[in-house]
Amino acid sequence: MDDAAAEPRRERPAGVPGAGTGPDERGTVNPAARIEDVIAEPVVAAVRDIGGYGGLVYLRSPDRRSLVLCVVAGVPRSLLMPWWRVPVGGALPMSEAYRRSESLWLPDQRAMMLRFPQFTAALPYSFGSAFHPVRVDGEPVGVLCVLRSAAREPVDERVARAALHDAGRDLEARLTGFARRMPGGEGADAVVYGIDYDDQPVSVRLPTPPARAVAVGMVEWDLDTDRWSGDDDALSLLGVSREEFGGTMAEVEERVCPDDLYELRATRREAADTGQVRSRHFRVLEEPQDDGRVRYRPVELWGHVVRAEGATRLLVGALVDAAGGIVAAEAAERLPDGVFSLDQDGRVVYANRRCQQLLGCELERMLGHYPWEVLPWLRDPAYEDRYRAAMLSQEPVSYLVQDPEDVWLGFVLYPGVHGLTGRVFRTSAPVGAERGRPLAPPGGESAAPPSDVVATARAGALYHVVQMASVLTEAVTVRDVCTAVAEQLLPAFGAQEIALYTIRDDRMYLLWESGYQEHFLDSFEGVPLNANLPGVHALTTRLPLFFESPEALVNAYPQLLLDPMSAWAFLPLIASGHPIGSCILGWNAPHRFTPEERTALTALGGLTAQAMERARLYDAESAVARGLQEGLLPRRLPVIDRILTTGRYLPGTQGMAIGGDWYDVIRTGRGVALVIGDVEGHSVGAAAVMGQLRSAVQAFAASGRPPQEVITHTNRLLTELETDLFATCCYIELDPSSGRALAVRAGHPPPLLRHPDGHTESLELEGGVLLGVQAEAEYPVTALTLAPGSVIALYTDGLVETPGAEIGTGIEVIRRCLARGPADSVDSLADRLIKTARRTEDRPDDVALLLTAYAWR
């Protein structure tokens, strides 16, 4: 395995999306391709093969702490914004598939709720999903996800898993080829270079059903002589060939429907008077049908007038086949109900006149906007929630809305992978009807949607509170809490900046900020609690402050230095009745805070405060624990002739971040003892037991006892400590003058030996049971002889264990890394082993490593 992937993220070569994205016959890709281009095709294939409507690919972040959404197909990016970046250790299906390196098949909402109740609370919609880990050279690098409508015909799980497996293999092949063609990835034969992501997700459009191409022809019309000419496409639309067309106006009129001759002649007058033609419609005769009936095709003419030689007026334009969009729009305009269309992201792209009348808003105001942005009475989050429900379930959804004039409107949303078509109509409000509630058919042909489209609505703002509560239960440290709050609040409420302050010595100090201009917050650092500032007042009065415009904030605080935002929320952080700090949110446009939103933000402030207080206590205890751990490990290793030793220790990042791993180098009467051990568990108790065992081994070894007795006496001591903890240990006594050694192993992973020629092997020493299991256990001794130039590596299981993989696989990875490592520095070799095996900061176990080089020249 090459350790290049552990190095800091390098700039990828620029590429044109879509160029060179496919693998060649060697499984490699164009080096100019971007990583998202390489993986787009397998995602689309997986969605197609499973009968889904959406596909996602998460890749690991450069620091290996998160999974970052890289490619989205068939689902709006905006709906998934809270999940663009998820923690590897989170209680989420994509995180579990990555950690366990196992596929997950969740056919419906019930299956999701049973496995991941927190995720279901955040996305309370009915859909099925499948998750498949993506591995390259045995190491997890990401997760493939396919979304499927739970209401449609179920797919056989075996078929789905097989399709996921095939798509996963395709992804792995493409990623391997991509990484090995990257600068720095040449020659990699294990974990390849460059497979990470740290950017916004890229949207990939799913293929649309085949559609008839729109024919467009170019024409020239001499307005002074009434001569026509056109290219082959234009003549084809007119239904004539170039050989038989003489170019006269009379011939054109022969091809036009008699009812539309006036329209054609009016077109000429419009061009002469205004110098242009805008969307003139008429019908032209098609070839006679087999049954002899006449058929006409609608066409549309656009153009502008130019002056040709001799001051001739020439209309240059395009003749367009209108048998599609224009005709469809005209049909929609004739409907008695309102019809509108939203793009995949939920923005308006079309609304017929009846829809504009019912909503009281012109199309130009709505185009390119979310409906709830333009129409104040649709800003209740419940209505946006119905759009989410339709797009994520891919099933029709309906609800009632009461407009400002107390008119009840029924909405029915019909989703598809490329957008959503909506229907809106006036209706009588049923008894007990409430805004945003499911639509109950009131009777009447035009007012009643199909009964199967009725679905239960949920409060839009409430689920943000539920999601935040779920996420904060996973946050351990103060930094975790700050990260979780920022990642949830900003996308959930559309804010652009956040600042979290804490109290220390009756002053306010910044804990976390995102979105602010550099150095803007410097002047607020350390302000006292009597300062005339909204963040301080929110805390001291224990009341949130909301300002919907800069004018409102300036009126309340005339001397306040403003940032470029246009609306603000100042939330007090109060935990168990004690002030903790303040949370400040900023919006870059004026923002109206609805009562529901104010309530939700206030509740989220309370959740944040409770999590912050808990995390502060944890950080304080953790600091004490880390100090204890560091005090129990050797500060320096002894200098001994003919051998070089170096040690490394990395604490686990889960739990208390303290464990029972230790290493030591001890002088004995016959040479030097090399020791490594691991007490189970991660607690202060485990560290205390580790300290006792290390002291015992030092005492027994320094007294001159042979290796077998050292381990035997240490085992007996642990059984007498009346603790439930067990331990593993590997003890090697080496004679530096001869290279001869005696080794004893008690349930510990086998050491690795690198020979002078670079060949490396795992020493399968005969061993005994774990320490502390049997008081009278025996531990056999194995004799070794090290040649000058050899290196022996002792390590704990945290170095070689990966969730979802066999420990033997991890040992083999380290063995290969040791074999290829530098032979000039034992410190560089140790750093390489640590970096190669642990590229992520999310370590479930602590790691200890002791390297010993014998008689290096």
Side-chain angles (χ1 to χ4, degrees), residues 588-615:
N588 61 8
H591 183 81
R592 186 173 73 88
F593 296 96
T594 64
E596 294 83 359
E597 193 172 44
R598 292 172 184 247
T599 301
L601 286 170
T602 302
L604 291 171
L607 292 174
T608 301
Q610 294 288 344
M612 191 75 71
E613 182 69 1
R614 183 184 69 246

PDB file of all heavy atoms in Angstrom, residues 588-615:
ATOM      1  N   ASN A 588     -28.660  36.986   4.378  1.00  0.00           N
ATOM      2  CA  ASN A 588     -28.180  38.013   3.451  1.00  0.00           C
ATOM      3  C   ASN A 588     -29.304  38.757   2.740  1.00  0.00           C
ATOM      4  O   ASN A 588     -29.056  39.556   1.851  1.00  0.00           O
ATOM      5  CB  ASN A 588     -27.220  37.406   2.423  1.00  0.00           C
ATOM      6  CG  ASN A 588     -27.876  36.336   1.573  1.00  0.00           C
ATOM      7  OD1 ASN A 588     -29.088  36.129   1.634  1.00  0.00           O
ATOM      8  ND2 ASN A 588     -27.077  35.630   0.780  1.00  0.00           N
ATOM      9  N   ALA A 589     -30.564  38.490   3.109  1.00  0.00           N
ATOM     10  CA  ALA A 589     -31.715  39.207   2.566  1.00  0.00           C
ATOM     11  C   ALA A 589     -32.705  39.406   3.702  1.00  0.00           C
ATOM     12  O   ALA A 589     -32.716  38.637   4.676  1.00  0.00           O
ATOM     13  CB  ALA A 589     -32.354  38.417   1.419  1.00  0.00           C
ATOM     14  N   PRO A 590     -33.546  40.440   3.626  1.00  0.00           N
ATOM     15  CA  PRO A 590     -34.571  40.609   4.666  1.00  0.00           C
ATOM     16  C   PRO A 590     -35.360  39.318   4.852  1.00  0.00           C
ATOM     17  O   PRO A 590     -35.723  38.639   3.888  1.00  0.00           O
ATOM     18  CB  PRO A 590     -35.438  41.743   4.113  1.00  0.00           C
ATOM     19  CG  PRO A 590     -34.502  42.531   3.248  1.00  0.00           C
ATOM     20  CD  PRO A 590     -33.588  41.527   2.618  1.00  0.00           C
ATOM     21  N   HIS A 591     -35.619  38.975   6.095  1.00  0.00           N
ATOM     22  CA  HIS A 591     -36.198  37.661   6.403  1.00  0.00           C
ATOM     23  C   HIS A 591     -37.345  37.850   7.394  1.00  0.00           C
ATOM     24  O   HIS A 591     -37.171  38.482   8.436  1.00  0.00           O
ATOM     25  CB  HIS A 591     -35.123  36.754   7.005  1.00  0.00           C
ATOM     26  CG  HIS A 591     -35.598  35.363   7.278  1.00  0.00           C
ATOM     27  ND1 HIS A 591     -35.675  34.400   6.294  1.00  0.00           N
ATOM     28  CD2 HIS A 591     -36.024  34.773   8.414  1.00  0.00           C
ATOM     29  CE1 HIS A 591     -36.115  33.279   6.815  1.00  0.00           C
ATOM     30  NE2 HIS A 591     -36.345  33.471   8.104  1.00  0.00           N
ATOM     31  N   ARG A 592     -38.511  37.315   7.055  1.00  0.00           N
ATOM     32  CA  ARG A 592     -39.646  37.373   7.981  1.00  0.00           C
ATOM     33  C   ARG A 592     -39.652  36.119   8.844  1.00  0.00           C
ATOM     34  O   ARG A 592     -39.710  34.998   8.332  1.00  0.00           O
ATOM     35  CB  ARG A 592     -40.956  37.474   7.205  1.00  0.00           C
ATOM     36  CG  ARG A 592     -42.168  37.697   8.111  1.00  0.00           C
ATOM     37  CD  ARG A 592     -43.417  37.948   7.290  1.00  0.00           C
ATOM     38  NE  ARG A 592     -43.893  36.739   6.644  1.00  0.00           N
ATOM     39  CZ  ARG A 592     -44.725  35.867   7.201  1.00  0.00           C
ATOM     40  NH1 ARG A 592     -45.149  36.076   8.438  1.00  0.00           N
ATOM     41  NH2 ARG A 592     -45.123  34.810   6.540  1.00  0.00           N
ATOM     42  N   PHE A 593     -39.579  36.308  10.150  1.00  0.00           N
ATOM     43  CA  PHE A 593     -39.562  35.189  11.088  1.00  0.00           C
ATOM     44  C   PHE A 593     -41.004  34.865  11.473  1.00  0.00           C
ATOM     45  O   PHE A 593     -41.663  35.635  12.172  1.00  0.00           O
ATOM     46  CB  PHE A 593     -38.752  35.537  12.339  1.00  0.00           C
ATOM     47  CG  PHE A 593     -37.298  35.792  12.081  1.00  0.00           C
ATOM     48  CD1 PHE A 593     -36.828  37.087  11.913  1.00  0.00           C
ATOM     49  CD2 PHE A 593     -36.397  34.746  11.985  1.00  0.00           C
ATOM     50  CE1 PHE A 593     -35.484  37.333  11.659  1.00  0.00           C
ATOM     51  CE2 PHE A 593     -35.051  34.979  11.727  1.00  0.00           C
ATOM     52  CZ  PHE A 593     -34.598  36.274  11.560  1.00  0.00           C
ATOM     53  N   THR A 594     -41.501  33.741  10.978  1.00  0.00           N
ATOM     54  CA  THR A 594     -42.850  33.325  11.327  1.00  0.00           C
ATOM     55  C   THR A 594     -42.885  32.878  12.788  1.00  0.00           C
ATOM     56  O   THR A 594     -41.844  32.559  13.379  1.00  0.00           O
ATOM     57  CB  THR A 594     -43.294  32.156  10.434  1.00  0.00           C
ATOM     58  OG1 THR A 594     -42.445  31.025  10.694  1.00  0.00           O
ATOM     59  CG2 THR A 594     -43.190  32.528   8.961  1.00  0.00           C
ATOM     60  N   PRO A 595     -44.065  32.855  13.398  1.00  0.00           N
ATOM     61  CA  PRO A 595     -44.140  32.370  14.788  1.00  0.00           C
ATOM     62  C   PRO A 595     -43.561  30.964  14.949  1.00  0.00           C
ATOM     63  O   PRO A 595     -42.892  30.664  15.944  1.00  0.00           O
ATOM     64  CB  PRO A 595     -45.650  32.405  15.081  1.00  0.00           C
ATOM     65  CG  PRO A 595     -46.185  33.465  14.175  1.00  0.00           C
ATOM     66  CD  PRO A 595     -45.360  33.368  12.917  1.00  0.00           C
ATOM     67  N   GLU A 596     -43.827  30.101  13.960  1.00  0.00           N
ATOM     68  CA  GLU A 596     -43.289  28.742  14.046  1.00  0.00           C
ATOM     69  C   GLU A 596     -41.763  28.745  13.992  1.00  0.00           C
ATOM     70  O   GLU A 596     -41.107  27.986  14.711  1.00  0.00           O
ATOM     71  CB  GLU A 596     -43.856  27.890  12.899  1.00  0.00           C
ATOM     72  CG  GLU A 596     -45.360  27.639  12.979  1.00  0.00           C
ATOM     73  CD  GLU A 596     -46.167  28.795  12.400  1.00  0.00           C
ATOM     74  OE1 GLU A 596     -45.550  29.791  11.952  1.00  0.00           O
ATOM     75  OE2 GLU A 596     -47.403  28.699  12.399  1.00  0.00           O
ATOM     76  N   GLU A 597     -41.202  29.617  13.140  1.00  0.00           N
ATOM     77  CA  GLU A 597     -39.760  29.665  13.014  1.00  0.00           C
ATOM     78  C   GLU A 597     -39.121  30.235  14.277  1.00  0.00           C
ATOM     79  O   GLU A 597     -38.090  29.735  14.732  1.00  0.00           O
ATOM     80  CB  GLU A 597     -39.379  30.518  11.805  1.00  0.00           C
ATOM     81  CG  GLU A 597     -37.922  30.393  11.392  1.00  0.00           C
ATOM     82  CD  GLU A 597     -37.652  31.097  10.086  1.00  0.00           C
ATOM     83  OE1 GLU A 597     -38.127  32.232   9.896  1.00  0.00           O
ATOM     84  OE2 GLU A 597     -36.950  30.508   9.248  1.00  0.00           O
ATOM     85  N   ARG A 598     -39.734  31.243  14.871  1.00  0.00           N
ATOM     86  CA  ARG A 598     -39.207  31.795  16.120  1.00  0.00           C
ATOM     87  C   ARG A 598     -39.226  30.738  17.224  1.00  0.00           C
ATOM     88  O   ARG A 598     -38.272  30.607  17.996  1.00  0.00           O
ATOM     89  CB  ARG A 598     -40.029  33.022  16.547  1.00  0.00           C
ATOM     90  CG  ARG A 598     -39.870  34.225  15.620  1.00  0.00           C
ATOM     91  CD  ARG A 598     -40.855  35.336  15.985  1.00  0.00           C
ATOM     92  NE  ARG A 598     -40.783  36.447  15.055  1.00  0.00           N
ATOM     93  CZ  ARG A 598     -40.338  37.669  15.351  1.00  0.00           C
ATOM     94  NH1 ARG A 598     -39.909  37.925  16.581  1.00  0.00           N
ATOM     95  NH2 ARG A 598     -40.313  38.615  14.446  1.00  0.00           N
ATOM     96  N   THR A 599     -40.308  29.991  17.269  1.00  0.00           N
ATOM     97  CA  THR A 599     -40.403  28.934  18.277  1.00  0.00           C
ATOM     98  C   THR A 599     -39.337  27.870  18.054  1.00  0.00           C
ATOM     99  O   THR A 599     -38.678  27.410  19.003  1.00  0.00           O
ATOM    100  CB  THR A 599     -41.806  28.295  18.233  1.00  0.00           C
ATOM    101  OG1 THR A 599     -42.787  29.302  18.485  1.00  0.00           O
ATOM    102  CG2 THR A 599     -41.930  27.199  19.285  1.00  0.00           C
ATOM    103  N   ALA A 600     -39.172  27.474  16.794  1.00  0.00           N
ATOM    104  CA  ALA A 600     -38.182  26.438  16.489  1.00  0.00           C
ATOM    105  C   ALA A 600     -36.772  26.916  16.821  1.00  0.00           C
ATOM    106  O   ALA A 600     -35.979  26.172  17.413  1.00  0.00           O
ATOM    107  CB  ALA A 600     -38.280  26.047  15.015  1.00  0.00           C
ATOM    108  N   LEU A 601     -36.424  28.145  16.449  1.00  0.00           N
ATOM    109  CA  LEU A 601     -35.085  28.661  16.730  1.00  0.00           C
ATOM    110  C   LEU A 601     -34.846  28.773  18.226  1.00  0.00           C
ATOM    111  O   LEU A 601     -33.743  28.487  18.720  1.00  0.00           O
ATOM    112  CB  LEU A 601     -34.895  30.012  16.052  1.00  0.00           C
ATOM    113  CG  LEU A 601     -34.707  29.974  14.533  1.00  0.00           C
ATOM    114  CD1 LEU A 601     -34.768  31.377  13.941  1.00  0.00           C
ATOM    115  CD2 LEU A 601     -33.372  29.317  14.169  1.00  0.00           C
ATOM    116  N   THR A 602     -35.859  29.198  18.974  1.00  0.00           N
ATOM    117  CA  THR A 602     -35.712  29.284  20.426  1.00  0.00           C
ATOM    118  C   THR A 602     -35.472  27.903  21.025  1.00  0.00           C
ATOM    119  O   THR A 602     -34.607  27.722  21.892  1.00  0.00           O
ATOM    120  CB  THR A 602     -36.962  29.923  21.042  1.00  0.00           C
ATOM    121  OG1 THR A 602     -37.170  31.217  20.465  1.00  0.00           O
ATOM    122  CG2 THR A 602     -36.801  30.073  22.547  1.00  0.00           C
ATOM    123  N   ALA A 603     -36.231  26.911  20.547  1.00  0.00           N
ATOM    124  CA  ALA A 603     -36.038  25.543  21.031  1.00  0.00           C
ATOM    125  C   ALA A 603     -34.657  25.026  20.678  1.00  0.00           C
ATOM    126  O   ALA A 603     -33.990  24.354  21.486  1.00  0.00           O
ATOM    127  CB  ALA A 603     -37.120  24.635  20.454  1.00  0.00           C
ATOM    128  N   LEU A 604     -34.193  25.343  19.473  1.00  0.00           N
ATOM    129  CA  LEU A 604     -32.864  24.886  19.063  1.00  0.00           C
ATOM    130  C   LEU A 604     -31.772  25.541  19.897  1.00  0.00           C
ATOM    131  O   LEU A 604     -30.734  24.932  20.163  1.00  0.00           O
ATOM    132  CB  LEU A 604     -32.661  25.194  17.579  1.00  0.00           C
ATOM    133  CG  LEU A 604     -33.526  24.356  16.628  1.00  0.00           C
ATOM    134  CD1 LEU A 604     -33.425  24.885  15.209  1.00  0.00           C
ATOM    135  CD2 LEU A 604     -33.109  22.897  16.684  1.00  0.00           C
ATOM    136  N   GLY A 605     -31.991  26.793  20.313  1.00  0.00           N
ATOM    137  CA  GLY A 605     -31.033  27.425  21.211  1.00  0.00           C
ATOM    138  C   GLY A 605     -30.925  26.671  22.519  1.00  0.00           C
ATOM    139  O   GLY A 605     -29.822  26.489  23.060  1.00  0.00           O
ATOM    140  N   GLY A 606     -32.062  26.223  23.053  1.00  0.00           N
ATOM    141  CA  GLY A 606     -32.024  25.437  24.288  1.00  0.00           C
ATOM    142  C   GLY A 606     -31.311  24.110  24.109  1.00  0.00           C
ATOM    143  O   GLY A 606     -30.514  23.694  24.966  1.00  0.00           O
ATOM    144  N   LEU A 607     -31.571  23.422  22.990  1.00  0.00           N
ATOM    145  CA  LEU A 607     -30.872  22.162  22.717  1.00  0.00           C
ATOM    146  C   LEU A 607     -29.372  22.386  22.595  1.00  0.00           C
ATOM    147  O   LEU A 607     -28.563  21.594  23.097  1.00  0.00           O
ATOM    148  CB  LEU A 607     -31.415  21.533  21.433  1.00  0.00           C
ATOM    149  CG  LEU A 607     -32.853  21.006  21.471  1.00  0.00           C
ATOM    150  CD1 LEU A 607     -33.267  20.547  20.083  1.00  0.00           C
ATOM    151  CD2 LEU A 607     -32.973  19.862  22.458  1.00  0.00           C
ATOM    152  N   THR A 608     -29.002  23.461  21.909  1.00  0.00           N
ATOM    153  CA  THR A 608     -27.576  23.767  21.748  1.00  0.00           C
ATOM    154  C   THR A 608     -26.910  24.021  23.088  1.00  0.00           C
ATOM    155  O   THR A 608     -25.798  23.546  23.351  1.00  0.00           O
ATOM    156  CB  THR A 608     -27.410  24.997  20.832  1.00  0.00           C
ATOM    157  OG1 THR A 608     -27.998  24.728  19.563  1.00  0.00           O
ATOM    158  CG2 THR A 608     -25.946  25.356  20.655  1.00  0.00           C
ATOM    159  N   ALA A 609     -27.588  24.761  23.966  1.00  0.00           N
ATOM    160  CA  ALA A 609     -27.014  25.068  25.277  1.00  0.00           C
ATOM    161  C   ALA A 609     -26.793  23.802  26.100  1.00  0.00           C
ATOM    162  O   ALA A 609     -25.738  23.622  26.736  1.00  0.00           O
ATOM    163  CB  ALA A 609     -27.925  26.036  26.023  1.00  0.00           C
ATOM    164  N   GLN A 610     -27.795  22.914  26.107  1.00  0.00           N
ATOM    165  CA  GLN A 610     -27.642  21.668  26.860  1.00  0.00           C
ATOM    166  C   GLN A 610     -26.480  20.837  26.323  1.00  0.00           C
ATOM    167  O   GLN A 610     -25.670  20.302  27.097  1.00  0.00           O
ATOM    168  CB  GLN A 610     -28.946  20.866  26.788  1.00  0.00           C
ATOM    169  CG  GLN A 610     -30.131  21.503  27.469  1.00  0.00           C
ATOM    170  CD  GLN A 610     -30.021  21.474  28.981  1.00  0.00           C
ATOM    171  OE1 GLN A 610     -29.221  20.734  29.543  1.00  0.00           O
ATOM    172  NE2 GLN A 610     -30.838  22.281  29.646  1.00  0.00           N
ATOM    173  N   ALA A 611     -26.396  20.727  24.995  1.00  0.00           N
ATOM    174  CA  ALA A 611     -25.299  19.962  24.403  1.00  0.00           C
ATOM    175  C   ALA A 611     -23.955  20.626  24.678  1.00  0.00           C
ATOM    176  O   ALA A 611     -22.946  19.945  24.916  1.00  0.00           O
ATOM    177  CB  ALA A 611     -25.521  19.815  22.900  1.00  0.00           C
ATOM    178  N   MET A 612     -23.910  21.959  24.638  1.00  0.00           N
ATOM    179  CA  MET A 612     -22.669  22.680  24.888  1.00  0.00           C
ATOM    180  C   MET A 612     -22.185  22.462  26.320  1.00  0.00           C
ATOM    181  O   MET A 612     -20.990  22.245  26.568  1.00  0.00           O
ATOM    182  CB  MET A 612     -22.870  24.166  24.618  1.00  0.00           C
ATOM    183  CG  MET A 612     -21.594  24.982  24.577  1.00  0.00           C
ATOM    184  SD  MET A 612     -20.677  24.704  23.051  1.00  0.00           S
ATOM    185  CE  MET A 612     -21.755  25.560  21.897  1.00  0.00           C
ATOM    186  N   GLU A 613     -23.107  22.530  27.279  1.00  0.00           N
ATOM    187  CA  GLU A 613     -22.720  22.332  28.675  1.00  0.00           C
ATOM    188  C   GLU A 613     -22.195  20.920  28.894  1.00  0.00           C
ATOM    189  O   GLU A 613     -21.182  20.707  29.569  1.00  0.00           O
ATOM    190  CB  GLU A 613     -23.924  22.607  29.576  1.00  0.00           C
ATOM    191  CG  GLU A 613     -23.644  22.474  31.059  1.00  0.00           C
ATOM    192  CD  GLU A 613     -22.727  23.561  31.583  1.00  0.00           C
ATOM    193  OE1 GLU A 613     -22.306  24.447  30.797  1.00  0.00           O
ATOM    194  OE2 GLU A 613     -22.397  23.525  32.776  1.00  0.00           O
ATOM    195  N   ARG A 614     -22.871  19.946  28.334  1.00  0.00           N
ATOM    196  CA  ARG A 614     -22.409  18.563  28.456  1.00  0.00           C
ATOM    197  C   ARG A 614     -21.038  18.384  27.811  1.00  0.00           C
ATOM    198  O   ARG A 614     -20.154  17.726  28.370  1.00  0.00           O
ATOM    199  CB  ARG A 614     -23.423  17.631  27.786  1.00  0.00           C
ATOM    200  CG  ARG A 614     -23.080  16.148  27.916  1.00  0.00           C
ATOM    201  CD  ARG A 614     -24.056  15.293  27.149  1.00  0.00           C
ATOM    202  NE  ARG A 614     -23.918  15.464  25.708  1.00  0.00           N
ATOM    203  CZ  ARG A 614     -24.846  15.991  24.937  1.00  0.00           C
ATOM    204  NH1 ARG A 614     -25.989  16.420  25.451  1.00  0.00           N
ATOM    205  NH2 ARG A 614     -24.656  16.117  23.625  1.00  0.00           N
ATOM    206  N   ALA A 615     -20.838  19.001  26.653  1.00  0.00           N
ATOM    207  CA  ALA A 615     -19.563  18.864  25.947  1.00  0.00           C
ATOM    208  C   ALA A 615     -18.432  19.559  26.695  1.00  0.00           C
ATOM    209  O   ALA A 615     -17.296  19.075  26.689  1.00  0.00           O
ATOM    210  CB  ALA A 615     -19.690  19.434  24.538  1.00  0.00           C
TER     211      ALA A 615
END
